[in-house]
Amino acid sequence: IFLCTIVAAKPRMGFQVSRFFQEGQPGVQNCTTHWFEQDIDHFSWKTPSEGVSTYQQRYFVCDSFWEKRANGSPGPIFFYVGNEANVELYVNASGLMWESAPEYGALLVFAEHRYYGQSLPFGQKSTP
């Protein structure tokens, strides 16, 4: 999704280095944390034996670079699908997204993979 979005988006002219790059490494401190009520099982209509069918999935939104285009439409959304670790690691280390966002006027969204970080469907029973 990310690469398709970059190819389809047209970069802004007059790109300038973001203040975040001048002041230090961008990361979670430049984002807001959000939670989404997510289904645990997307393929079954049956309620799990534990009685829990949803969990709170964490994601980060970084909107410092998101701008409207001349035609009024919003800039692209660069979406990072979390790996098998705490999503904060990827928010802090996904250089390509941070480097491209100012040029394209993009919104950055980083979703946490379930069973990792703080997105634990069954609490501490979710971890090995």
Side-chain angles (χ1 to χ4, degrees), residues 60-78:
F60 288 91
V61 175
C62 316
D63 62 0
S64 300
F65 311 111
W66 205 26
E67 294 183 353
K68 286 190 176 183
R69 302 277 185 222
N71 67 4
S73 66
I77 298 171
F78 295 170

Side-chain angles (χ1 to χ4, degrees), residues 46-97:
K46 219 168 87 171
T47 302
S49 58
E50 292 86 4
V52 178
S53 61
T54 63
Y55 72 101
Q56 294 297 307
Q57 183 176 17
R58 181 170 66 153
Y59 64 99
F60 288 91
V61 175
C62 316
D63 62 0
S64 300
F65 311 111
W66 205 26
E67 294 183 353
K68 286 190 176 183
R69 302 277 185 222
N71 67 4
S73 66
I77 298 171
F78 295 170
F79 184 76
Y80 189 93
V81 179
N83 297 35
E84 289 80 11
N86 185 324
V87 73
E88 292 179 26
L89 297 171
Y90 303 103
V91 175
N92 292 329
S94 296
L96 179 62
M97 293 198 37

Side-chain angles (χ1 to χ4, degrees), residues 58 83-87 112-121:
R58 181 170 66 153
N83 297 35
E84 289 80 11
N86 185 324
V87 73
E112 187 162 63
H113 194 295
R114 69 178 169 180
Y115 298 109
Y116 294 93
Q118 295 181 20
S119 298
L120 303 173

